[in-house]
Amino acid sequence: MYDSSNNPTIIIDRSGPGMAEANSKIGNLKSDISELEIKIEALYRVMVDQGIDPKIFEAKIEEIVNERAGKIRIPEDSKNCPKCGRVVRKNGNAPQLGKCMYCGTNVPFYPSFLTKEELANSEQPGQ
């Protein structure tokens, strides 16, 4: 389809079954989030009613956020092949796997909850 200036335009059909399914899934997610919000608020109120200082709750939230920020690691774009030591890049068709173009070894690029330092220490021989 073309607009009045004879430029091609993209038409998005928002009435198809795919859009209805997406809207249904979004509605389900909103419902799940609302339910979790109510449960969390109830837990918080029970804790406060039982005499737990809200500052302890806030400190625990901060602790968990800091733990996750330090441990969640996004895989690097490349790493050394464990067999020949050459650099291997992630495969665009299989983002969790790379293949060494020199020796053919499959190299995993799985996400990890370990920090870079923990991973480096665990890969050293003799530990």
Side-chain angles (χ1 to χ4, degrees), residues 75-77 89-98 107-111:
E76 301 292 330
D77 289 329
R89 301 218 182 272
K90 285 198 276 187
N91 178 346
N93 296 330
Q96 301 294 321
L97 189 65
V107 180
F109 283 88
Y110 303 130

Side-chain angles (χ1 to χ4, degrees), residues 9-70:
T9 58
I10 297 173
I11 305 254
I12 299 173
D13 182 11
R14 297 178 192 258
S15 63
M19 186 59 75
E21 182 180 348
N23 285 334
S24 174
K25 287 181 179 180
I26 289 170
N28 290 341
L29 288 172
K30 286 180 179 179
S31 176
D32 291 347
I33 290 170
S34 293
E35 183 179 327
L36 288 171
E37 286 175 336
I38 291 168
K39 289 177 181 179
I40 290 169
E41 185 174 346
L43 288 170
Y44 180 81
R45 287 182 184 185
V46 167
M47 288 174 29
V48 171
D49 290 347
Q50 294 297 317
I52 297 174
D53 185 356
K55 291 178 184 173
I56 294 172
F57 188 73
E58 296 299 322
K60 188 55 73 174
I61 290 173
E62 185 175 345
E63 176 186 324
I64 292 169
V65 168
N66 289 334
E67 283 176 3
R68 289 184 178 193

